[in-house]
Every structure is written in structure tokens, then in C-alpha cells.
Amino acid sequence: MTGGPLVVLVGPMGSGKSTVGALLAERLGVPYRDTDADIVTAQGRPISDIFVDEGEPYFRELERQAVAAAVSEHTGVLALGGGAVLDEGTRELLADLPVAYLSMDVEEAVRRVGLGAARPLLAVNPRRQWRELMEARRPLYTEVARVVVATDDRTPEEVAQAVLDALELKDV
């Protein structure tokens, strides 16, 4: 494979994709990009507002476009939104890329994301909804991932090192 991101991070909300992605980019000496941040910048409003105002299908289309653009343009570390893998075309784009799935269990998710955070898909009964989301998404994360790195009870620095080790990348 030539071009494209050096590392792509996927996983559920709260798994540390943004924090670990920034650490990886720094350690690898490459730029960091987050497709959720791209959407927020392009739309000029938070993702939660897009969900409320336009609905999830509209957001998923924005997300699909943001991922396609980032995969074609970005050569550093790329973090995708938690639901990006729902799109079959996105999964196909990721097929030959060095994708790391940052996994975590529900207790860790609740601790990190919290029950009152502005997460539109977790508005009612967050613990149950998180489990349901993961039942649907875990196979998709696994499908696109070259490596799976558990984040439970690990610092972001430990997770970043585990990703580097698993993908056999050397920091600068």
C-alpha cells in the first residue's frame, strides 16, 4: 500500500482515539487528524447539534464523506468517529490500511464517557445503549482492524505504546 494514513484508530466513544491518536502522531513525528473534528469544523456546530437538528442519517453521510477525504489526503495518524465503521464503503476504504481497534468494556466506558456526557446515542439508559451499540459495532471494528488493543486500566501512553508495538512502528 502506498500513501494513506500511517495509523487509523477505530473504536467506541471514550476508548481514547483522540488522546491516543495525538500521542501517536507526536511519537511518530506525523500530523494527527480526527474525522469528528473535521465534521465539527466544516459544519460550525457540535456533532450533538447535527444529530438533533438533522438526524443520524444526515450525520452518517457527513461522516462517510469526512472519512473518505481523510483517507485519501492524510498520511499521519487518523482517528475515526465511533460509528464510522457502520458504513460498508468506509470499511472497504479501511481494508488495506493499518487500523488499530481500541477496545474497552462497558464499565470502563461508563467511567470514561460518564452518564451525563453530550453523547447523542447514549441519551437514555447509557449503559444498556452502549452495550447494544457494541454488539452491533464490535464485529465491524474487528473486521477492519489489523490489531486490537485493549485500553482498560491502561494510561493513554501505555495504549499508544501497545499500538506502536502491535503495528510494528517505531517512534522518532
Side-chain angles (χ1 to χ4, degrees):
M1 202 215 68
T2 59
L6 187 59
V7 178
V8 179
L9 299 176
V10 299
M13 60 190 84
S15 62
K17 297 179 301 286
S18 297
T19 302
V20 171
L23 284 170
L24 283 169
E26 182 180 324
R27 291 181 64 178
L28 293 166
V30 297
Y32 168 71
R33 185 167 175 178
D34 181 318
T35 57
D36 279 353
D38 289 351
I39 294 167
V40 168
T41 299
Q43 293 290 303
R45 57 189 170 149
I47 289 171
S48 57
D49 288 358
I50 298 169
F51 264 81
V52 170
D53 297 343
E54 312 293 340
E56 185 176 359
Y58 179 82
F59 171 76
R60 294 297 172 206
E61 177 58 24
L62 294 175
E63 183 174 56
R64 185 191 64 71
Q65 293 171 13
V67 171
V71 165
S72 70
E73 300 164 1
H74 189 67
T75 57
V77 176
L78 177 63
L80 305 187
V85 297
L86 295 170
D87 182 74
E88 183 178 350
T90 293
R91 294 194 307 275
E92 289 171 7
L93 283 176
L94 299 175
D96 295 322
L97 296 175
V99 177
Y101 161 29
L102 303 185
S103 69
M104 65 182 186
D105 66 23
V106 68
E107 290 76 21
E108 186 79 1
V110 169
R111 185 180 72 73
R112 291 185 192 178
V113 176
L115 301 180
R119 305 286 185 162
L121 293 178
L122 299 181
V124 179
N125 195 344
R127 196 177 290 260
R128 179 179 59 95
Q129 289 182 307
W130 192 88
R131 281 193 180 100
E132 289 173 4
L133 283 174
M134 284 308 298
E135 285 175 20
R137 294 176 181 182
R138 187 176 291 111
L140 303 177
Y141 292 140
T142 304
E143 174 189 327
V144 300
R146 189 175 295 174
V147 299
V148 178
V149 175
T151 65
D152 303 301
D153 300 318
R154 286 176 144 171
T155 66
E157 292 78 11
E158 290 168 334
V159 174
Q161 187 60 54
V163 171
L164 289 172
D165 292 346
L167 290 174
E168 299 179 353
L169 295 169
K170 302 293 180 221
D171 53 0
V172 292

